[in-house]
Amino acid sequence: MIEIGEVTVPTATVARLPFYLRALRDLAGEGVEVTSSSDLAERSGVGSAQLRKDLSYLGSFGTRGVGYDVESLSSYISSALGLGSEHRLAIVGVGNLGHALANYSGYSARGFSLVALLDADPVVVGQEAAGLEVEHVDALERVLAERQVSMVILATPGGVAQQVAERVVACGVREILCFSPVALQLPDDVVVRSVDVAGELQILAFHAAARAAQSAQSAQAVPPAV
Amino acid sequence: MIEIGEVTVPTATVARLPFYLRALRDLAGEGVEVTSSSDLAERSGVGSAQLRKDLSYLGSFGTRGVGYDVESLSSYISSALGLGSEHRLAIVGVGNLGHALANYSGYSARGFSLVALLDADPVVVGQEAAGLEVEHVDALERVLAERQVSMVILATPGGVAQQVAERVVACGVREILCFSPVALQLPDDVVVRSVDVAGELQILAFHAAARAAQSAQSAQAVPPAV
DNA sequence: TGGTGTGAAATGTTTCACAGCC
DNA sequence: GGCTGTGAAACATTTCACACCA
């Protein structure tokens, strides 16, 4: 549950807002001006009741009997997501993944600007990526302050993620996106989102194992006619 | 809720198993042989009651008054996650991100083997990455069959993700990890996990906006003495 | 004694179903 | 007539608190 202004919005709802926004932008791109909860829901991969409930936490944006105005709903969700103000972003750890994330081109279109790249490896420091020079992580405090960074993407090796995160937090950053497979121990007011590719694959593997167990079981229960 | 064999395990629990496994492997690396629910929970970033409850869905692995044997719990969770059997993996879309994912070195250590890279771009096709040659996506059906691929990582542009996913599913693949920002429409028995970097940043931006609104409000409620 | 395993309570989320409005 | 907005019900998850046992 997250409080914003007067209202409180479920965490699960917030996690879905980006999907809705994406679907709305697709619709706008197709020239559609008005949509319905069922259309928007299908494009977002959720149920229509869920979508309506989610929006109802934020306010009331549709017209009964008609639907939602694509343009105005889109800009409302954008502003709810805080995409009106600019978010200045730094990436710490410019290995394979950090490099790929630096070259991701969608930042500016979504209200983010990438303003710094940092790494500890002398081979990487000084290289250029995405129009920025990679700086040494020793200068982290200075760089974050100078560039007024408010969000950090951590793509360092797991072993140093905790210590880098602490330094980042000490600089006043309160939002971190972490790609290292570690559970960061940070003050409660710091928001950490973690993306763990290996973990996702393991979850898929669990499903695969469950499916295998399931079909083995049903094969036993209802043996195939020979 | 996921059924596996006789028991049913909450989805949320499954999503945490990789964290526990990682923490256990860290412990094993440190030479620790026995741990407690509170230690393991802290390292995994969850509460100790939650950890015990999660494990209780899978069975009963600890010793009252003592704790858990690191080695045996670790191998139990590994096998529950289906990491005993080999999972053969293909990456479709070898752009920035796909390339970075190909070079990720942790697959084999976790029971996955990367066996194919596919892309539609003639410039990329034929290049080598991670010891594999990138093949043309036209040959997708043949390659997936020949290499017995059971899991696919989709890192294509959003526009083609749906159509590629359908071809992949037609080849019998039932587990997909998708990095494209789209809601794939696929049969119910296909498990899709999505990772959306831009979406994660947007969620962080929402938290930032909530924080800003909060402090603006409290500044108004309790105006600073002048 | 100390830490697991687990019912039961509290909390959070999704789904249902329909009143209300265009 | 059709679609939104929303209480209330159903469901899922987390937390509590304590029985149980090495």
Short mmCIF file of all heavy atoms in Angstrom, two decimals, chain B residues 156-225:
data_model
loop_
_atom_site.label_atom_id
_atom_site.label_comp_id
_atom_site.label_asym_id
_atom_site.label_seq_id
_atom_site.Cartn_x
_atom_site.Cartn_y
_atom_site.Cartn_z
N THR B 156 13.41 -9.56 -28.35
CA THR B 156 13.18 -8.92 -29.65
C THR B 156 12.56 -7.54 -29.45
O THR B 156 12.11 -7.22 -28.36
CB THR B 156 12.18 -9.74 -30.47
OG1 THR B 156 10.90 -9.67 -29.83
CG2 THR B 156 12.59 -11.19 -30.57
N PRO B 157 12.50 -6.73 -30.51
CA PRO B 157 11.72 -5.50 -30.42
C PRO B 157 10.26 -5.86 -30.12
O PRO B 157 9.79 -6.94 -30.50
CB PRO B 157 11.84 -4.91 -31.83
CG PRO B 157 13.07 -5.51 -32.40
CD PRO B 157 13.18 -6.87 -31.81
N GLY B 158 9.56 -4.97 -29.44
CA GLY B 158 8.18 -5.22 -29.05
C GLY B 158 7.27 -5.61 -30.20
O GLY B 158 6.42 -6.49 -30.06
N GLY B 159 7.47 -5.00 -31.34
CA GLY B 159 6.57 -5.21 -32.46
C GLY B 159 6.47 -6.64 -32.95
O GLY B 159 5.43 -7.06 -33.46
N VAL B 160 7.54 -7.40 -32.84
CA VAL B 160 7.52 -8.76 -33.36
C VAL B 160 7.42 -9.81 -32.26
O VAL B 160 7.34 -11.01 -32.54
CB VAL B 160 8.76 -9.05 -34.24
CG1 VAL B 160 8.78 -8.13 -35.45
CG2 VAL B 160 10.04 -8.91 -33.44
N ALA B 161 7.41 -9.38 -31.00
CA ALA B 161 7.45 -10.33 -29.89
C ALA B 161 6.28 -11.31 -29.93
O ALA B 161 6.47 -12.52 -29.77
CB ALA B 161 7.48 -9.59 -28.56
N GLN B 162 5.08 -10.79 -30.17
CA GLN B 162 3.90 -11.67 -30.17
C GLN B 162 4.02 -12.76 -31.24
O GLN B 162 3.80 -13.93 -30.97
CB GLN B 162 2.64 -10.82 -30.41
CG GLN B 162 1.36 -11.63 -30.57
CD GLN B 162 0.93 -12.32 -29.28
OE1 GLN B 162 1.12 -11.78 -28.19
NE2 GLN B 162 0.39 -13.51 -29.40
N GLN B 163 4.42 -12.35 -32.43
CA GLN B 163 4.46 -13.34 -33.51
C GLN B 163 5.58 -14.36 -33.29
O GLN B 163 5.39 -15.56 -33.52
CB GLN B 163 4.54 -12.63 -34.87
CG GLN B 163 5.83 -12.75 -35.62
CD GLN B 163 5.91 -11.78 -36.78
OE1 GLN B 163 5.37 -10.67 -36.77
NE2 GLN B 163 6.63 -12.18 -37.82
N VAL B 164 6.72 -13.90 -32.78
CA VAL B 164 7.80 -14.84 -32.47
C VAL B 164 7.35 -15.79 -31.36
O VAL B 164 7.58 -17.00 -31.42
CB VAL B 164 9.09 -14.10 -32.06
CG1 VAL B 164 10.13 -15.08 -31.56
CG2 VAL B 164 9.64 -13.30 -33.23
N ALA B 165 6.69 -15.24 -30.36
CA ALA B 165 6.23 -16.07 -29.24
C ALA B 165 5.29 -17.17 -29.74
O ALA B 165 5.38 -18.32 -29.31
CB ALA B 165 5.53 -15.21 -28.20
N GLU B 166 4.42 -16.83 -30.67
CA GLU B 166 3.49 -17.84 -31.18
C GLU B 166 4.24 -18.96 -31.89
O GLU B 166 3.91 -20.14 -31.72
CB GLU B 166 2.48 -17.19 -32.15
CG GLU B 166 1.43 -16.37 -31.41
CD GLU B 166 0.58 -15.51 -32.32
OE1 GLU B 166 0.65 -15.70 -33.56
OE2 GLU B 166 -0.14 -14.63 -31.80
N ARG B 167 5.26 -18.60 -32.65
CA ARG B 167 6.04 -19.64 -33.34
C ARG B 167 6.76 -20.52 -32.31
O ARG B 167 6.84 -21.74 -32.47
CB ARG B 167 7.04 -19.00 -34.29
CG ARG B 167 6.38 -18.37 -35.52
CD ARG B 167 7.38 -17.61 -36.36
NE ARG B 167 8.42 -18.47 -36.91
CZ ARG B 167 9.54 -17.99 -37.46
NH1 ARG B 167 9.75 -16.69 -37.53
NH2 ARG B 167 10.45 -18.82 -37.95
N VAL B 168 7.28 -19.88 -31.28
CA VAL B 168 8.01 -20.61 -30.25
C VAL B 168 7.08 -21.60 -29.56
O VAL B 168 7.43 -22.76 -29.32
CB VAL B 168 8.62 -19.61 -29.24
CG1 VAL B 168 8.98 -20.29 -27.95
CG2 VAL B 168 9.83 -18.92 -29.86
N VAL B 169 5.87 -21.14 -29.26
CA VAL B 169 4.90 -22.00 -28.58
C VAL B 169 4.48 -23.16 -29.50
O VAL B 169 4.32 -24.29 -29.05
CB VAL B 169 3.67 -21.19 -28.14
CG1 VAL B 169 2.52 -22.10 -27.70
CG2 VAL B 169 4.06 -20.26 -26.99
N ALA B 170 4.36 -22.86 -30.79
CA ALA B 170 4.01 -23.91 -31.75
C ALA B 170 5.06 -25.01 -31.79
O ALA B 170 4.77 -26.16 -32.13
CB ALA B 170 3.82 -23.31 -33.15
N CYS B 171 6.30 -24.65 -31.40
CA CYS B 171 7.37 -25.65 -31.35
C CYS B 171 7.33 -26.49 -30.07
O CYS B 171 8.20 -27.31 -29.83
CB CYS B 171 8.74 -24.98 -31.44
SG CYS B 171 9.05 -24.18 -33.01
N GLY B 172 6.37 -26.19 -29.21
CA GLY B 172 6.23 -26.99 -28.00
C GLY B 172 6.84 -26.37 -26.76
O GLY B 172 6.75 -26.95 -25.68
N VAL B 173 7.44 -25.21 -26.89
CA VAL B 173 8.02 -24.55 -25.72
C VAL B 173 6.89 -24.02 -24.83
O VAL B 173 5.93 -23.44 -25.33
CB VAL B 173 8.95 -23.39 -26.16
CG1 VAL B 173 9.39 -22.56 -24.96
CG2 VAL B 173 10.17 -23.95 -26.89
N ARG B 174 6.98 -24.24 -23.55
CA ARG B 174 5.92 -23.82 -22.63
C ARG B 174 6.40 -22.83 -21.57
O ARG B 174 5.62 -22.42 -20.70
CB ARG B 174 5.30 -25.05 -21.94
CG ARG B 174 4.43 -25.91 -22.85
CD ARG B 174 3.17 -25.17 -23.24
NE ARG B 174 2.40 -25.84 -24.30
CZ ARG B 174 2.62 -25.68 -25.59
NH1 ARG B 174 3.61 -24.90 -26.02
NH2 ARG B 174 1.86 -26.29 -26.48
N GLU B 175 7.68 -22.49 -21.59
CA GLU B 175 8.20 -21.51 -20.63
C GLU B 175 8.96 -20.42 -21.38
O GLU B 175 9.91 -20.71 -22.12
CB GLU B 175 9.13 -22.18 -19.61
CG GLU B 175 8.41 -22.82 -18.44
CD GLU B 175 7.92 -24.22 -18.76
OE1 GLU B 175 8.57 -24.90 -19.56
OE2 GLU B 175 6.88 -24.63 -18.20
N ILE B 176 8.54 -19.18 -21.18
CA ILE B 176 9.13 -18.06 -21.90
C ILE B 176 9.48 -16.94 -20.92
O ILE B 176 8.68 -16.60 -20.05
CB ILE B 176 8.14 -17.51 -22.96
CG1 ILE B 176 7.90 -18.56 -24.04
CG2 ILE B 176 8.65 -16.21 -23.58
CD1 ILE B 176 6.86 -18.16 -25.07
N LEU B 177 10.68 -16.40 -21.09
CA LEU B 177 11.07 -15.21 -20.33
C LEU B 177 11.14 -14.06 -21.33
O LEU B 177 11.92 -14.10 -22.27
CB LEU B 177 12.42 -15.44 -19.66
CG LEU B 177 13.00 -14.28 -18.85
CD1 LEU B 177 12.03 -13.80 -17.79
CD2 LEU B 177 14.31 -14.71 -18.19
N CYS B 178 10.29 -13.05 -21.11
CA CYS B 178 10.13 -12.01 -22.12
C CYS B 178 10.64 -10.66 -21.63
O CYS B 178 10.25 -10.19 -20.56
CB CYS B 178 8.65 -11.91 -22.48
SG CYS B 178 8.31 -10.64 -23.70
N PHE B 179 11.52 -10.06 -22.42
CA PHE B 179 12.06 -8.74 -22.06
C PHE B 179 11.43 -7.63 -22.87
O PHE B 179 11.75 -6.47 -22.68
CB PHE B 179 13.58 -8.73 -22.25
CG PHE B 179 14.32 -9.48 -21.19
CD1 PHE B 179 14.48 -10.85 -21.26
CD2 PHE B 179 14.81 -8.81 -20.08
CE1 PHE B 179 15.15 -11.55 -20.27
CE2 PHE B 179 15.48 -9.49 -19.08
CZ PHE B 179 15.64 -10.86 -19.18
N SER B 180 10.57 -7.99 -23.82
CA SER B 180 9.92 -6.96 -24.61
C SER B 180 8.72 -6.44 -23.83
O SER B 180 8.02 -7.20 -23.18
CB SER B 180 9.42 -7.54 -25.93
OG SER B 180 10.46 -8.24 -26.57
N PRO B 181 8.50 -5.16 -23.92
CA PRO B 181 7.40 -4.56 -23.16
C PRO B 181 6.05 -4.77 -23.84
O PRO B 181 5.45 -3.83 -24.32
CB PRO B 181 7.78 -3.08 -23.12
CG PRO B 181 8.59 -2.86 -24.33
CD PRO B 181 9.24 -4.15 -24.69
N VAL B 182 5.59 -6.00 -23.87
CA VAL B 182 4.26 -6.30 -24.42
C VAL B 182 3.60 -7.38 -23.57
O VAL B 182 4.28 -8.18 -22.93
CB VAL B 182 4.34 -6.84 -25.87
CG1 VAL B 182 4.73 -5.75 -26.83
CG2 VAL B 182 5.30 -8.01 -25.96
N ALA B 183 2.27 -7.37 -23.56
CA ALA B 183 1.52 -8.43 -22.89
C ALA B 183 1.25 -9.52 -23.92
O ALA B 183 0.40 -9.36 -24.78
CB ALA B 183 0.23 -7.87 -22.32
N LEU B 184 2.00 -10.60 -23.84
CA LEU B 184 1.84 -11.68 -24.82
C LEU B 184 0.50 -12.38 -24.62
O LEU B 184 0.12 -12.69 -23.49
CB LEU B 184 2.99 -12.69 -24.69
CG LEU B 184 4.39 -12.15 -24.97
CD1 LEU B 184 5.44 -13.23 -24.71
CD2 LEU B 184 4.51 -11.63 -26.39
N GLN B 185 -0.18 -12.63 -25.74
CA GLN B 185 -1.45 -13.38 -25.69
C GLN B 185 -1.15 -14.80 -26.10
O GLN B 185 -0.95 -15.08 -27.28
CB GLN B 185 -2.48 -12.77 -26.66
CG GLN B 185 -2.67 -11.27 -26.55
CD GLN B 185 -3.35 -10.85 -25.26
OE1 GLN B 185 -4.10 -11.62 -24.67
NE2 GLN B 185 -3.08 -9.63 -24.80
N LEU B 186 -1.10 -15.70 -25.13
CA LEU B 186 -0.72 -17.08 -25.43
C LEU B 186 -1.63 -18.03 -24.68
O LEU B 186 -2.33 -17.62 -23.74
CB LEU B 186 0.75 -17.31 -25.02
CG LEU B 186 1.80 -16.49 -25.79
CD1 LEU B 186 3.15 -16.62 -25.13
CD2 LEU B 186 1.86 -16.94 -27.24
N PRO B 187 -1.65 -19.30 -25.09
CA PRO B 187 -2.51 -20.27 -24.39
C PRO B 187 -2.21 -20.29 -22.89
O PRO B 187 -1.09 -20.01 -22.47
CB PRO B 187 -2.11 -21.61 -25.03
CG PRO B 187 -1.55 -21.26 -26.36
CD PRO B 187 -0.93 -19.90 -26.21
N ASP B 188 -3.22 -20.66 -22.10
CA ASP B 188 -3.10 -20.63 -20.64
C ASP B 188 -2.00 -21.53 -20.10
O ASP B 188 -1.45 -21.25 -19.03
CB ASP B 188 -4.42 -21.08 -20.01
CG ASP B 188 -5.45 -19.98 -20.09
OD1 ASP B 188 -5.07 -18.85 -20.45
OD2 ASP B 188 -6.63 -20.25 -19.78
N ASP B 189 -1.68 -22.60 -20.82
CA ASP B 189 -0.70 -23.52 -20.25
C ASP B 189 0.74 -23.06 -20.50
O ASP B 189 1.67 -23.72 -20.06
CB ASP B 189 -0.92 -24.95 -20.78
CG ASP B 189 -0.65 -25.03 -22.28
OD1 ASP B 189 -0.82 -24.02 -22.98
OD2 ASP B 189 -0.25 -26.11 -22.73
N VAL B 190 0.90 -21.93 -21.18
CA VAL B 190 2.24 -21.38 -21.37
C VAL B 190 2.55 -20.42 -20.22
O VAL B 190 1.72 -19.58 -19.88
CB VAL B 190 2.35 -20.63 -22.72
CG1 VAL B 190 3.73 -20.02 -22.88
CG2 VAL B 190 2.04 -21.57 -23.87
N VAL B 191 3.72 -20.59 -19.61
CA VAL B 191 4.10 -19.73 -18.50
C VAL B 191 5.02 -18.63 -19.04
O VAL B 191 6.05 -18.92 -19.63
CB VAL B 191 4.85 -20.51 -17.41
CG1 VAL B 191 5.15 -19.61 -16.23
CG2 VAL B 191 4.04 -21.72 -16.97
N VAL B 192 4.60 -17.40 -18.87
CA VAL B 192 5.42 -16.28 -19.32
C VAL B 192 5.83 -15.45 -18.11
O VAL B 192 4.99 -15.07 -17.31
CB VAL B 192 4.63 -15.37 -20.30
CG1 VAL B 192 5.49 -14.19 -20.72
CG2 VAL B 192 4.16 -16.16 -21.49
N ARG B 193 7.10 -15.20 -17.97
CA ARG B 193 7.58 -14.24 -16.98
C ARG B 193 8.10 -13.05 -17.76
O ARG B 193 8.80 -13.22 -18.75
CB ARG B 193 8.72 -14.81 -16.12
CG ARG B 193 8.41 -16.11 -15.41
CD ARG B 193 7.81 -15.97 -14.06
NE ARG B 193 8.43 -14.98 -13.19
CZ ARG B 193 7.91 -14.67 -12.00
NH1 ARG B 193 6.80 -15.25 -11.56
NH2 ARG B 193 8.47 -13.77 -11.24
N SER B 194 7.74 -11.85 -17.33
CA SER B 194 8.15 -10.67 -18.06
C SER B 194 9.07 -9.80 -17.22
O SER B 194 8.83 -9.61 -16.03
CB SER B 194 6.93 -9.84 -18.46
OG SER B 194 6.38 -10.37 -19.63
N VAL B 195 10.09 -9.29 -17.85
CA VAL B 195 10.97 -8.34 -17.20
C VAL B 195 10.92 -7.07 -18.03
O VAL B 195 11.19 -7.10 -19.22
CB VAL B 195 12.41 -8.88 -17.13
CG1 VAL B 195 13.35 -7.81 -16.60
CG2 VAL B 195 12.47 -10.12 -16.27
N ASP B 196 10.55 -5.98 -17.39
CA ASP B 196 10.36 -4.73 -18.12
C ASP B 196 11.11 -3.62 -17.40
O ASP B 196 10.66 -3.09 -16.40
CB ASP B 196 8.86 -4.44 -18.18
CG ASP B 196 8.57 -3.08 -18.79
OD1 ASP B 196 9.50 -2.46 -19.32
OD2 ASP B 196 7.41 -2.65 -18.71
N VAL B 197 12.29 -3.32 -17.92
CA VAL B 197 13.17 -2.37 -17.26
C VAL B 197 12.51 -0.99 -17.16
O VAL B 197 12.49 -0.37 -16.09
CB VAL B 197 14.52 -2.25 -17.99
CG1 VAL B 197 15.37 -1.16 -17.36
CG2 VAL B 197 15.25 -3.57 -17.94
N ALA B 198 11.92 -0.53 -18.27
CA ALA B 198 11.28 0.78 -18.24
C ALA B 198 10.14 0.80 -17.21
O ALA B 198 9.96 1.77 -16.47
CB ALA B 198 10.75 1.14 -19.62
N GLY B 199 9.40 -0.31 -17.15
CA GLY B 199 8.31 -0.40 -16.18
C GLY B 199 8.81 -0.31 -14.75
O GLY B 199 8.21 0.36 -13.90
N GLU B 200 9.92 -0.97 -14.47
CA GLU B 200 10.49 -0.92 -13.12
C GLU B 200 10.88 0.51 -12.76
O GLU B 200 10.66 0.97 -11.63
CB GLU B 200 11.72 -1.84 -13.02
CG GLU B 200 11.43 -3.31 -13.17
CD GLU B 200 10.54 -3.85 -12.06
OE1 GLU B 200 10.63 -3.35 -10.92
OE2 GLU B 200 9.72 -4.75 -12.34
N LEU B 201 11.46 1.21 -13.72
CA LEU B 201 11.84 2.60 -13.46
C LEU B 201 10.60 3.45 -13.20
O LEU B 201 10.60 4.33 -12.34
CB LEU B 201 12.62 3.17 -14.65
CG LEU B 201 14.04 2.63 -14.83
CD1 LEU B 201 14.65 3.18 -16.11
CD2 LEU B 201 14.92 3.01 -13.64
N GLN B 202 9.53 3.16 -13.93
CA GLN B 202 8.30 3.92 -13.73
C GLN B 202 7.73 3.69 -12.34
O GLN B 202 7.20 4.60 -11.70
CB GLN B 202 7.29 3.57 -14.82
CG GLN B 202 7.70 4.12 -16.18
CD GLN B 202 6.83 3.63 -17.31
OE1 GLN B 202 5.82 2.97 -17.10
NE2 GLN B 202 7.23 3.95 -18.53
N ILE B 203 7.83 2.44 -11.87
CA ILE B 203 7.35 2.15 -10.52
C ILE B 203 8.17 2.93 -9.50
O ILE B 203 7.65 3.51 -8.56
CB ILE B 203 7.41 0.63 -10.25
CG1 ILE B 203 6.41 -0.08 -11.16
CG2 ILE B 203 7.13 0.33 -8.78
CD1 ILE B 203 6.55 -1.59 -11.16
N LEU B 204 9.48 2.98 -9.72
CA LEU B 204 10.33 3.77 -8.83
C LEU B 204 9.94 5.25 -8.88
O LEU B 204 9.91 5.93 -7.85
CB LEU B 204 11.81 3.60 -9.21
CG LEU B 204 12.43 2.25 -8.89
CD1 LEU B 204 13.86 2.19 -9.42
CD2 LEU B 204 12.41 1.97 -7.40
N ALA B 205 9.61 5.71 -10.09
CA ALA B 205 9.22 7.11 -10.24
C ALA B 205 7.93 7.40 -9.46
O ALA B 205 7.77 8.47 -8.86
CB ALA B 205 9.03 7.46 -11.72
N PHE B 206 7.03 6.42 -9.46
CA PHE B 206 5.79 6.58 -8.69
C PHE B 206 6.12 6.75 -7.20
O PHE B 206 5.57 7.63 -6.53
CB PHE B 206 4.88 5.37 -8.89
CG PHE B 206 3.55 5.50 -8.20
CD1 PHE B 206 2.46 6.01 -8.88
CD2 PHE B 206 3.40 5.14 -6.88
CE1 PHE B 206 1.22 6.14 -8.25
CE2 PHE B 206 2.17 5.28 -6.23
CZ PHE B 206 1.08 5.78 -6.92
N HIS B 207 7.03 5.92 -6.71
CA HIS B 207 7.42 6.04 -5.30
C HIS B 207 8.04 7.40 -5.03
O HIS B 207 7.79 8.01 -4.00
CB HIS B 207 8.40 4.93 -4.94
CG HIS B 207 7.74 3.62 -4.71
ND1 HIS B 207 7.26 3.22 -3.49
CD2 HIS B 207 7.46 2.61 -5.57
CE1 HIS B 207 6.72 2.02 -3.60
NE2 HIS B 207 6.83 1.61 -4.84
N ALA B 208 8.86 7.86 -5.98
CA ALA B 208 9.49 9.17 -5.80
C ALA B 208 8.43 10.25 -5.73
O ALA B 208 8.49 11.15 -4.88
CB ALA B 208 10.46 9.44 -6.96
N ALA B 209 7.43 10.15 -6.62
CA ALA B 209 6.36 11.14 -6.63
C ALA B 209 5.57 11.09 -5.32
O ALA B 209 5.21 12.13 -4.75
CB ALA B 209 5.44 10.90 -7.83
N ALA B 210 5.31 9.86 -4.83
CA ALA B 210 4.57 9.71 -3.58
C ALA B 210 5.36 10.35 -2.44
O ALA B 210 4.79 11.03 -1.58
CB ALA B 210 4.32 8.23 -3.29
N ARG B 211 6.66 10.13 -2.44
CA ARG B 211 7.51 10.70 -1.40
C ARG B 211 7.46 12.23 -1.46
O ARG B 211 7.31 12.90 -0.43
CB ARG B 211 8.94 10.23 -1.59
CG ARG B 211 9.89 10.63 -0.49
CD ARG B 211 11.34 10.42 -0.91
NE ARG B 211 11.54 9.14 -1.57
CZ ARG B 211 11.65 7.98 -0.93
NH1 ARG B 211 11.58 7.96 0.38
NH2 ARG B 211 11.82 6.86 -1.59
N ALA B 212 7.54 12.76 -2.68
CA ALA B 212 7.50 14.22 -2.84
C ALA B 212 6.18 14.79 -2.33
O ALA B 212 6.15 15.78 -1.59
CB ALA B 212 7.71 14.59 -4.30
N ALA B 213 5.08 14.11 -2.70
CA ALA B 213 3.75 14.58 -2.26
C ALA B 213 3.66 14.53 -0.74
O ALA B 213 3.12 15.44 -0.10
CB ALA B 213 2.67 13.70 -2.88
N GLN B 214 4.21 13.47 -0.19
CA GLN B 214 4.19 13.27 1.26
C GLN B 214 4.91 14.38 2.00
O GLN B 214 4.39 14.97 2.95
CB GLN B 214 4.87 11.93 1.58
CG GLN B 214 4.30 11.20 2.75
CD GLN B 214 2.80 10.93 2.60
OE1 GLN B 214 2.06 11.15 3.52
NE2 GLN B 214 2.35 10.51 1.42
N SER B 215 6.11 14.68 1.52
CA SER B 215 6.89 15.68 2.26
C SER B 215 6.33 17.08 2.04
O SER B 215 6.39 17.93 2.93
CB SER B 215 8.37 15.60 1.88
OG SER B 215 8.51 15.81 0.50
N ALA B 216 5.73 17.31 0.86
CA ALA B 216 5.07 18.60 0.63
C ALA B 216 3.92 18.77 1.62
O ALA B 216 3.74 19.82 2.22
CB ALA B 216 4.54 18.67 -0.80
N GLN B 217 3.17 17.66 1.80
CA GLN B 217 2.03 17.68 2.71
C GLN B 217 2.46 17.93 4.15
O GLN B 217 1.91 18.79 4.83
CB GLN B 217 1.33 16.32 2.62
CG GLN B 217 -0.11 16.35 3.12
CD GLN B 217 -0.77 15.00 2.86
OE1 GLN B 217 -0.20 13.96 3.17
NE2 GLN B 217 -1.97 15.03 2.32
N SER B 218 3.48 17.17 4.59
CA SER B 218 3.88 17.33 5.99
C SER B 218 4.52 18.69 6.23
O SER B 218 4.43 19.25 7.31
CB SER B 218 4.81 16.20 6.41
OG SER B 218 5.96 16.20 5.61
N ALA B 219 5.13 19.24 5.17
CA ALA B 219 5.69 20.58 5.30
C ALA B 219 4.58 21.60 5.54
O ALA B 219 4.74 22.55 6.29
CB ALA B 219 6.48 20.95 4.04
N GLN B 220 3.42 21.31 4.89
CA GLN B 220 2.28 22.20 5.05
C GLN B 220 1.64 22.01 6.43
O GLN B 220 1.28 22.98 7.09
CB GLN B 220 1.25 21.86 3.97
CG GLN B 220 0.30 22.99 3.66
CD GLN B 220 -0.51 22.69 2.41
OE1 GLN B 220 -0.71 21.53 2.07
NE2 GLN B 220 -0.97 23.71 1.73
N ALA B 221 1.51 20.73 6.84
CA ALA B 221 0.86 20.43 8.11
C ALA B 221 1.67 21.01 9.28
O ALA B 221 1.12 21.57 10.22
CB ALA B 221 0.73 18.92 8.27
N VAL B 222 2.98 20.83 9.21
CA VAL B 222 3.85 21.34 10.28
C VAL B 222 4.87 22.28 9.64
O VAL B 222 5.97 21.88 9.34
CB VAL B 222 4.59 20.17 10.98
CG1 VAL B 222 5.36 20.67 12.17
CG2 VAL B 222 3.62 19.07 11.38
N PRO B 223 4.45 23.52 9.40
CA PRO B 223 5.34 24.44 8.69
C PRO B 223 6.61 24.68 9.52
O PRO B 223 6.53 24.77 10.74
CB PRO B 223 4.53 25.74 8.59
CG PRO B 223 3.19 25.46 9.20
CD PRO B 223 3.26 24.18 9.92
N PRO B 224 7.74 24.69 8.84
CA PRO B 224 8.99 24.91 9.56
C PRO B 224 8.99 26.28 10.25
O PRO B 224 8.50 27.26 9.68
CB PRO B 224 10.05 24.85 8.46
CG PRO B 224 9.31 25.09 7.17
CD PRO B 224 7.91 24.61 7.39
N ALA B 225 9.46 26.31 11.46
CA ALA B 225 9.56 27.59 12.17
C ALA B 225 10.47 28.53 11.39
O ALA B 225 11.51 28.11 10.88
CB ALA B 225 10.12 27.37 13.57
#
